[in-house]
Amino acid sequence: MSKNVLKDSLNKGETVFGPFCKMQDPAIVEIAALSGFDFVIIDMEHGPYSIESAQNMIRAAEAKGITPVVRVTENSETLILRTLDIGAKCIQVPQICTKADAEKVVKATKFYPNGERGMCRYVRAAEYTNIGPADHFGNANDDVISIIHIEGLEGIENLPEILSVEGIDVIFLGPYDLSQSCGVPGQVNHEKVVNSMKEAVALAKKHGKAVGTFTETPEKAKMWKDIGVQYISYAVDVGLIMNTFKDITGALKSN
């Protein structure tokens, strides 16, 4: 399997950008790659993906040289295992609220001695045994990116303990769910949400952790980049298409 270039970029302190993908057509991944994005997030939590359809999206990403990230539906050892086995090297896990939640992610994403990920060579991640056991089991721990979503005030409050967990690579701050937790649902630019996120970014950076978040405008992306966020998810494929179509039809029908 190819090297995880996204992990190298994050370790170098670079900022990377990529959309969430809910469409199951691999063409959207190819288009994202050709457009210059660094990664795509295959969204199993809010998208209609199966393991099989996610696998084909991963194949498309690898073919075009863009990093595939998979957001799983929940913090499930079995689901994370199956997602890693189909070749995902970047796992996003939603709704992390406690240190125990974060430790569960590491347990599922890492082989011994760092975790208890189930071992099997007869999977796509090991190129169906083309990669020898020493290389597959020996290198996977360093190659896989574990990204955890902090999406509520409980997670924000427990962030100091969560940051102490070894094996977590990116702290992803989810503004929409956080807005709901703050009592201002959907108001992602509300000062309660923004201030909570800024404090979380500062704390995570102090502990040497990369931080990610979701944005919907270039202006907000720049703001978070300037604050120190490296992993920036820019909008969602279906929303980007909708907005573009509406701009075009608006212009056409106004003439």
Side-chain angles (χ1 to χ4, degrees):
M1 289 296 183
S2 59
K3 187 178 182 182
N4 192 339
V5 296
L6 187 66
K7 191 161 192 174
D8 285 345
S9 296
L10 292 173
N11 287 339
K12 292 175 184 176
E14 298 172 358
T15 305
V16 292
F17 302 90
F20 274 95
C21 291
K22 300 190 188 301
M23 299 174 65
Q24 297 178 75
D25 189 337
I28 198 69
V29 173
E30 295 176 316
I31 292 167
L34 293 167
S35 299
F37 279 116
D38 302 295
F39 63 91
V40 291
I41 304 174
I42 300 162
D43 190 3
M44 297 184 76
E45 184 185 20
H46 290 292
Y49 287 102
S50 65
I51 285 290
E52 291 84 1
S53 59
Q55 179 173 249
N56 286 332
M57 299 290 274
I58 292 171
R59 287 188 173 116
E62 292 173 350
K64 284 298 182 182
I66 188 171
T67 301
V69 180
V70 179
R71 176 163 72 171
V72 294
T73 58
E74 59 183 329
N75 192 2
S76 160
E77 181 179 347
T78 299
L79 181 57
I80 291 171
L81 171 62
R82 296 188 72 198
T83 306
L84 290 169
D85 279 352
I86 62 173
K89 290 187 176 183
C90 308
I91 299 288
Q92 269 186 230
V93 185
Q95 299 296 340
I96 300 302
C97 299
T98 66
K99 179 181 180 181
D101 291 340
E103 289 173 337
K104 185 177 179 182
V105 173
V106 175
K107 179 181 176 181
T109 56
K110 305 292 185 183
F111 291 123
Y112 176 87
N114 306 106
E116 298 179 9
R117 174 182 168 185
M119 303 183 79
C120 181
R121 292 179 55 219
Y122 300 88
V123 294
R124 186 172 183 275
E127 294 184 352
Y128 312 106
T129 72
N130 188 48
I131 297 175
D135 288 335
H136 177 53
F137 299 129
N139 297 329
N141 282 359
D142 291 331
D143 212 25
V144 169
I145 295 178
S146 297
I147 304 167
I148 58 171
H149 280 233
I150 306 296
E151 302 183 89
L153 289 177
E154 183 182 3
I156 295 290
E157 292 167 0
N158 291 327
L159 190 56
E161 289 186 352
I162 291 171
L163 287 167
S164 71
V165 177
E166 292 293 329
I168 299 299
D169 299 291
V170 179
I171 304 296
F172 188 91
L173 304 171
Y176 273 98
D177 280 330
L178 182 58
S179 73
Q180 180 166 248
S181 184
C182 288
V184 288
Q187 299 180 50
V188 296
N189 295 318
H190 194 284
E191 62 179 7
K192 288 183 179 179
V193 180
V194 174
N195 290 341
S196 292
M197 291 176 63
K198 285 182 177 179
E199 291 174 6
V201 171
L203 184 59
K205 298 296 286 185
K206 184 178 179 180
H207 283 76
K209 294 288 187 182
V211 183
T213 195
F214 175 82
T215 63
E216 296 168 289
T217 68
E219 294 76 20
K220 287 298 179 183
K222 183 179 186 305
M223 182 194 82
W224 288 116
K225 177 183 177 182
D226 291 344
I227 290 171
V229 175
Q230 289 180 251
Y231 176 84
I232 297 178
S233 167
Y234 188 88
V236 182
D237 55 359
V238 293
L240 292 169
I241 292 171
M242 174 65 81
N243 291 338
T244 301
F245 279 16
K246 289 172 73 173
D247 288 345
I248 292 170
T249 56
L252 290 172
K253 294 182 180 183
S254 66
N255 294 330

